[in-house]
Each structure stands twice: as structure tokens, then as C-alpha cells.
Amino acid sequence: LQHSDMPEEMRIETMELCVTACEKHATNNESAAKMIKETMDKKFGSSWHVVIGEGFGFEITHEVKNLLYMFFGGSLAVCVWKCS
């Protein structure tokens, strides 16, 4: 985990979802991102955004307590945030 301001329970659930999606869609980041976004929208309300990839920088505006930025398998970064 690189950074998160989510409450602990939400953070753990989101991290598990990210790992599951990245393992299930190991060769397709777009499908993994879609799975994470749709699940987060259903569970925590819209509007969630997801970026998955290697070698990117970002600067975003997000709702407080709704950001998670982690690495999966070494170099694959996953950024999940809510912004309505």
C-alpha cells in the first residue's frame, strides 16, 4: 500500500478487490479497472474512478476518505478514488 485515507475496513476490502481483479485479469488492465469500478460503485455508491498501469504520475481531486493507491506484483500501480 502506497497511500490511503480510507477507513480501515473499506481500505482492506478495496485492497482485496484490487488484488482479485488484477489476478483475474492479469493480461487486461482495462477489464481489471472496470471490475473494480463497478464493484466500488455498487458497494459504496458512485462515482468511483480507477487507473491501473505502470509508470504514470497523477494529481487528482477526490472526496475525503475515498482514495487508495497501491502497487500489485511489484510495478503495477492501482489508484482508486471517488469524485462525484
Side-chain angles (χ1 to χ4, degrees), residues 23-59:
E23 286 174 346
K24 183 176 180 184
H25 301 285
T27 58
N28 190 334
N29 292 345
E30 193 175 328
S31 293
K34 184 177 181 182
M35 177 181 166
I36 294 166
K37 187 224 178 327
E38 289 176 350
T39 304
M40 295 297 287
D41 281 349
K42 277 184 199 140
K43 187 135 200 159
F44 302 108
S46 31
S47 292
W48 286 89
H49 309 276
V50 182
V51 174
I52 301 176
E54 294 182 30
F56 66 88
F58 66 94
E59 185 63 38

Side-chain angles (χ1 to χ4, degrees), residues 2-22:
Q2 193 71 13
H3 175 77
S4 176
D5 69 350
M6 289 179 172
E8 185 178 5
E9 193 176 304
M10 180 190 238
R11 181 178 70 242
I12 291 167
E13 216 171 307
T14 304
M15 287 177 69
E16 287 172 356
L17 171 62
C18 291
V19 169
T20 301
C22 289

